């Protein structure tokens, strides 16, 4: 894992001291709320529906056991005993006190964490494939470049007051697990015809009220040009992005309004000015960062695979968990273990302090002290020996963390919704809870297969509903919660925006409607077809019929 | 006719509070001072804005309420959730739901 150098340490410590002084001045009356608001937002502190909310950055979703233990401590000491993992691989606390926030941030800094750039019109926490460095389908580890981008974009004076917030995602794998194409900038690590490794750069993806899939601005950027190319894009956006209308200020609107050809022309012109300059990435600097992410000391495979096979045969419940939650690792004898934060009836992404402590302990014991947070609001132990999975599973089960539902119908993304959020029009969490109970039967879940349900409580789409195979959007209809359903969205390498199937459903109706959609899929699917494949083949009609025929 | 109360967040910890009849701030919705006229609403909001200037609360505003079976309730569902806590966490339910 990356460790702070002197520079990182200094800027984080200085920021905490600065914020401590700002909080003091606010409480003593030297700063009004209008003066203080932008300062607290620069440090990730929002005022939400019920209380302040602090969003802590988890760079590219990578955590050490010590960091996770600190997050548990903060949940206990400064909050109400839990935290919420988000679709930006971050963690949010829902009840911190303003007066205690400086102490909280001091404690975070002890483990090289902070809440800087988790809000505001700047480059936000860079996200990455949660299987970075261990995925079997990976060209190169994206964390190295995510870390380089983190360093470049942190406190970058030119990009601290962009037209709007800015989100970057990176993957090094062929399967896109990081929703790269719905980011302002997405980076795919690619190998060109000459065998060199570089980046395909896509721009202008996003969700919210104007969902768009990113377009390729350059199919191959050499590694050493990564930062100068990104800077050229940021400069074009900073200069031409709209500042007159908040809803048209994201880069996707600029790309859409001037077209990808004109946008590319402007980027290339800017790049011609700044390439081969100070932003040139020296190979030795890349190597220095690379060293932080060197693989751990894996042990020889030995009997690991055979032991796992025997244990799977002897325990069907364990077998079900391995089948859905363990993923192929690049290293023989190892597996990637996914920890579902979507138990039946639970709040997607929530973890108690006890669960966080348990995950920290298990990471130390079984996964070289490393943990990942996924944008789908789950956790990952990336480096588990196959013959340790059985013990791990038993320990997870004791903490309510062994739900075997990865990528299945109950592995639902849900935003906080009206239970917590000032902006929401309707609740999201209770819909996820009711769906998880309706589809609780595991056999049925596995029969349904891969199905991504994503729920947002308003059009800002924090719950990624546009790219759900089935998306659910909460709307307020004359004071009542209604839910609009979209079908056919996808967040992977074949990214697509879902289409609205028809009139919205009341809260009482929406779970039945979802079940009717799933039953229709089961009826019309062909052998081996996932929900999204069937939808692609038959379109919306069969689903519309069953949902609205009676009307 | 209007029926309103004033709500805000307490500056120091962000917790939702209501302007009470005695001019103080309470976490209990059922202790909120109820305005039944535009003039009374203006007066309550004036008190609240002074409290904001005095650093007691942040972002005060008026919400519509209705009287039902002798109890006062927020009209909007959002304000109901804000007054009584997130429904998803009954353990964090706030007192003062009234009858």
């Amino acid at each position: 894992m990356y460790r702070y150098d002197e520079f990182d340490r200094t800027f984080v410590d200085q920021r905490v001291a600065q914020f401590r002084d700002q909080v003091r001045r606010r409480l003593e009356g030297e700063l009004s709320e209008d003066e203080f608001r932008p300062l607290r937002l620069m440090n990730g502190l929002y005022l939400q529906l019920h209380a302040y909310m602090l969003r802590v950055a988890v760079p590219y979703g990578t955590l050490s056991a010590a960091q996770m233990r600190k997050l548990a401590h903060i949940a206990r000491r400064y909050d109400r005993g839990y935290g919420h993992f988000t679709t930006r691989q971050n963690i949010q606390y829902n009840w911190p006190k303003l007066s205690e926030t400086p102490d909280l941030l001091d404690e975070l800094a002890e483990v090289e964490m902070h809440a800087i750039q988790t809000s505001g019109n700047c480059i936000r926490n860079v996200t990455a494939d949660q299987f970075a460095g261990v995925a079997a389908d990976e060209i190169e580890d994206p964390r190295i470049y995510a870390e380089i981008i983190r360093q470049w974009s942190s406190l970058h004076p030119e990009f601290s007051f962009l037209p709007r917030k800015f989100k970057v995602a990176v993957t090094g794998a062929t399967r896109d697990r990081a929703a790269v194409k719905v980011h302002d900038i997405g980076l795919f690590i690619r190998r060109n015809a000459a065998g060199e490794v570089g980046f395909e750069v896509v721009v202008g993806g996003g969700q919210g009220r104007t969902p768009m899939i990113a377009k390729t601005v350059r199919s191959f950027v050499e590694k050493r040009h990564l930062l100068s190319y990104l800077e050229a894009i940021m400069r074009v956006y900073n200069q031409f992005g709209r500042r007159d209308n908040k809803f048209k200020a994201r880069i996707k609107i600029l790309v859409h309004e001037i077209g990808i050809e004109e946008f590319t022309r402007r980027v290339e012109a800017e790049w011609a000015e700044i390439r081969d300059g100070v932003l040139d990435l020296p190979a030795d600097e890349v190597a220095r960062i690379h060293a932080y992410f060197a693989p751990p000391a894996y042990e020889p495979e030995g009997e690991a695979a055979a032991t796992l096979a025997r244990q799977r045969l002897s325990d069907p419940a364990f077998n079900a968990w391995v089948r859905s939650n363990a993923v192929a690792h690049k290293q023989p004898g190892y597996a990637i273990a996914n920890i579902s934060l979507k138990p039946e009836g639970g709040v997607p992404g929530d973890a108690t302090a006890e669960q966080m402590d348990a995950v920290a302990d298990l990471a130390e014991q079984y996964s070289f002290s490393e943990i990942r947070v996924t944008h789908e609001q789950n956790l990952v132990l990336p480096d588990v020996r196959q013959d340790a999975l059985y013990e791990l599973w038993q320990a997870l089960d004791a903490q309510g963390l062994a739900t075997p539902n990865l990528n299945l119908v109950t592995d639902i993304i849900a935003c906080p919704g009206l239970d917590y959020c000032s902006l929401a029009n309707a609740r999201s969490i209770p819909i996820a809870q009711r769906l998880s109970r309706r589809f609780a039967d595991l056999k049925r879940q596995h029969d349904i297969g891969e199905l991504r349900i994503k729920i947002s409580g308003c059009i800002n789409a924090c719950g990624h509903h546009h790219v759900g195979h089935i998306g659910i959007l909460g709307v307020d209809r004359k004071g009542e919660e209604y839910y609009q359903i979209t079908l056919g969205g996808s967040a992977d390498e074949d990214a697509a925006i879902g289409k609205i199937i028809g009139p919205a459903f009341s809260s009482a109706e929406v779970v039945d409607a979802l079940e009717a959609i799933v039953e229709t899929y089961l009826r019309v699917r062909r052998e081996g077809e996932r929900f999204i494949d069937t939808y692609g083949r038959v379109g919306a009609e069969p689903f519309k019929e069953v949902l609205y025929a009676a009307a | 006719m209007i029926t309103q109360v004033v709500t805000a967040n307490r500056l120091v910890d962000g917790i939702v509070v209501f302007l009470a009849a005695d001019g103080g701030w309470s976490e209990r919705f059922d202790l909120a001072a109820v305005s039944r006229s535009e003039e009374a609403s203006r007066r309550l909001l004036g008190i609240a804005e002074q409290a904001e200037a005095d650093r007691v609360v942040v972002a005060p505003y008026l919400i519509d309420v209705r009287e039902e079976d002798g109890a006062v309730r927020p009209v909007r569902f959002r304000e109901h959730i804000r007054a009584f806590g997130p429904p998803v966490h009954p353990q964090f339910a706030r007192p003062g739901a009234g009858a």
Side-chain angles (χ1 to χ4, degrees):
Chain A
M1 261 184 76
Y2 181 74
R3 298 302 310 265
Y4 275 10
D5 60 17
E6 273 305 292
F7 179 80
D8 296 309
R9 159 79 48 208
T10 304
F11 94 65
V12 170
D13 287 348
Q14 283 177 347
R15 178 60 80 84
V16 176
Q18 185 185 50
F19 189 60
R20 183 180 293 282
D21 189 53
Q22 288 161 347
V23 170
R24 180 190 62 75
R25 286 153 67 204
R26 174 70 184 114
L27 293 174
E28 290 177 2
E30 291 172 39
L31 294 174
S32 69
E33 184 61 16
D34 283 347
E35 290 164 328
F36 181 63
R37 186 185 306 108
L39 303 175
R40 70 167 157 74
L41 289 175
M42 286 173 83
N43 293 286
L45 190 65
Y46 290 72
L47 186 57
Q48 272 292 5
L49 194 61
H50 303 287
Y52 294 104
M53 179 273 278
L54 183 75
R55 182 180 296 148
V56 176
V58 179
Y60 34 93
T62 298
L63 282 172
S64 68
Q67 288 173 325
M68 182 65 101
R69 206 166 274 126
K70 181 63 87 176
L71 295 178
H73 165 74
I74 285 169
R76 222 178 259 124
R77 165 67 185 81
Y78 298 94
D79 209 86
R80 294 189 176 179
Y82 68 105
H84 177 73
F85 290 98
T86 78
T87 53
R88 285 215 70 66
Q89 299 176 308
N90 290 327
I91 184 169
Q92 294 181 179
Y93 294 104
N94 292 302
W95 310 92
K97 296 180 172 72
L98 173 61
S99 55
E100 293 183 347
T101 311
D103 290 344
L104 190 169
L105 293 175
D106 253 338
E107 294 219 36
L108 274 181
E110 286 172 15
V111 293
E112 306 182 356
M113 296 185 80
H114 60 71
I116 300 166
Q117 286 178 220
T118 60
S119 173
N121 294 335
C122 54
I123 300 175
R124 301 288 188 89
N125 184 39
V126 177
T127 53
D129 182 359
Q130 64 267 24
F131 300 160
V134 293
D137 65 340
E138 187 171 276
I139 296 172
E140 251 183 51
D141 188 341
R143 290 174 301 172
I144 294 144
Y145 304 97
E147 173 55 31
I148 288 168
I149 294 166
R150 185 195 71 80
Q151 296 189 12
W152 160 76
S153 64
S154 292
L155 311 188
H156 195 308
E158 193 177 331
F159 306 133
S160 292
F161 298 94
L162 295 168
R164 199 74 179 85
K165 60 184 161 184
F166 204 92
K167 300 177 181 178
V168 180
V170 197
T171 183
T174 48
R175 284 294 315 275
D176 177 7
R177 289 172 285 260
V180 171
K181 287 187 175 173
V182 285
H183 280 75
D184 294 287
I185 292 180
L187 297 169
F188 293 95
I189 295 178
R190 302 285 194 212
R191 198 184 297 281
N192 69 6
E196 298 159 332
V197 173
F199 302 90
E200 178 182 352
V201 182
V202 301
V203 174
Q207 301 193 62
R209 65 190 61 225
T210 319
M212 292 191 189
I213 303 299
K215 297 181 177 72
T216 299
V217 64
R218 199 170 233 277
S219 57
F220 193 83
V221 173
E222 287 174 58
K223 282 180 187 175
R224 71 184 184 93
H225 293 310
L226 175 65
L227 291 186
S228 62
Y229 202 80
L230 292 182
E231 186 134 324
I233 294 170
M234 298 309 298
R235 284 189 164 182
V236 169
Y237 171 54
N238 213 8
Q239 185 178 358
F240 298 105
R242 288 177 61 169
R243 291 173 189 265
D244 60 319
N245 181 341
K246 185 182 173 187
F247 300 127
K248 295 182 188 270
R250 295 288 289 268
I251 197 173
K252 63 191 172 186
I253 303 294
L254 175 65
V255 172
H256 182 72
E257 286 185 350
I258 68 175
I260 190 68
E261 292 77 19
E262 173 60 17
F263 181 83
T264 303
R265 193 192 63 73
R266 292 183 193 182
V267 168
E268 294 281 330
E270 178 65 35
W271 189 44
E273 298 285 324
I274 62 173
R275 61 179 288 179
D276 305 318
V278 291
L279 288 170
D280 217 43
L281 265 184
D284 58 347
E285 178 61 13
V286 175
R288 188 180 74 84
I289 303 291
H290 196 284
Y292 284 112
F293 299 99
Y298 293 121
E299 288 167 24
E301 182 181 9
E303 297 300 308
T307 303
L308 172 62
R310 198 174 60 247
Q311 288 164 331
R312 289 184 69 167
L313 273 176
S314 66
D315 190 331
F318 172 62
N319 187 46
W321 180 79
V322 171
R323 186 176 152 200
S324 56
N325 290 34
V327 171
H329 197 287
K330 67 175 187 188
Q331 183 72 17
Y334 282 78
I336 302 168
N338 287 272
I339 301 173
S340 170
L341 296 180
K342 322 288 176 69
E344 182 184 342
V347 178
D350 272 16
T352 65
E354 291 69 34
Q355 289 176 324
M356 288 187 242
D357 272 338
V359 170
D361 291 346
L362 293 170
E364 274 176 351
Q365 200 173 347
Y366 297 111
S367 186
F368 299 96
S369 296
E370 201 173 308
I371 301 150
R372 309 288 175 82
V373 183
T374 84
H375 89 273
E376 285 165 315
Q377 304 181 283
N378 292 315
L379 301 175
V380 178
L381 297 183
D383 285 306
V384 182
R385 264 187 77 85
Q386 289 176 350
D387 53 10
L389 283 172
Y390 194 53
E391 279 176 37
L392 171 67
W393 170 74
Q394 289 170 314
L396 288 171
D397 197 34
Q399 294 291 335
L401 291 169
T403 311
N405 63 347
L406 195 77
N407 301 337
L408 300 180
V409 60
T410 60
D411 185 6
I412 298 168
I413 291 182
C415 73
L418 195 50
D419 276 287
Y420 290 102
C421 180
S422 286
L423 303 173
N425 292 317
R427 287 174 293 168
S428 305
I429 296 166
I431 305 301
Q433 291 174 314
R434 285 163 55 200
L435 284 168
S436 76
R437 293 192 184 104
R438 178 69 63 94
F439 290 101
D441 178 13
L442 267 180
K443 189 165 171 299
R444 186 181 182 203
Q445 288 198 51
H446 279 282
D447 180 38
I448 295 164
E450 183 186 333
L451 177 50
R452 315 292 183 104
I453 298 179
K454 303 179 200 271
I455 310 174
S456 304
C458 81
I459 193 61
N460 291 314
C462 297
H464 289 198
H465 68 278
H466 291 301
V467 291
H469 293 171
I470 304 177
I472 303 175
L473 167 64
V475 294
D476 176 345
R477 190 181 280 177
K478 293 178 186 156
E480 298 286 317
E481 294 172 296
Y482 268 72
Y483 295 90
Q484 200 167 63
I485 295 178
T486 54
L487 298 182
S490 172
D492 62 14
E493 60 279 6
D494 302 314
I497 306 297
K499 292 193 174 64
I500 296 170
I501 179 89
F505 295 90
S506 71
S507 178
E509 297 164 335
V510 66
V511 173
D512 289 338
L514 259 286
E515 189 166 32
I517 291 168
V518 171
E519 289 299 325
T520 303
Y521 153 66
L522 293 176
R523 188 162 46 76
V524 304
R525 73 174 168 188
R526 288 180 182 160
E527 182 75 28
E529 267 183 353
R530 301 171 304 162
F531 175 87
I532 191 71
D533 306 323
T534 301
Y535 176 82
R537 178 173 57 80
V538 304
E541 270 321 304
F543 302 101
K544 265 187 191 160
E545 266 171 42
V546 68
L547 288 176
Y548 301 108
Chain B
M1 191 185 110
I2 60 169
T3 319
Q4 293 182 315
V5 305
V6 172
T7 184
N9 295 79
R10 205 156 47 205
L11 172 65
V12 68
D13 61 5
I15 294 299
V16 172
V17 286
F18 299 92
L19 180 58
D22 64 1
W25 293 87
S26 174
E27 293 183 33
R28 296 183 65 105
F29 177 78
D30 60 355
L31 297 183
V34 181
S35 152
R36 293 185 175 80
S37 69
E38 282 188 31
E39 194 200 336
S41 288
R42 261 197 307 276
R43 191 178 55 79
L44 289 181
L45 197 57
I47 296 170
E49 282 164 356
Q50 186 56 50
E52 184 175 34
D54 293 340
R55 310 184 309 276
V56 178
V57 297
V58 187
Y61 61 100
L62 288 157
I63 61 167
D64 292 329
V65 297
R66 62 168 172 254
E67 293 178 287
E68 241 174 36
D69 306 326
V72 174
R73 305 294 242 170
V75 171
R76 289 184 63 201
F77 187 52
R78 174 187 194 275
E79 296 304 332
H80 182 93
I81 289 177
R82 206 167 159 276
F84 304 124
V88 70
H89 284 298
Q91 69 273 36
F92 303 147
R94 294 158 53 92

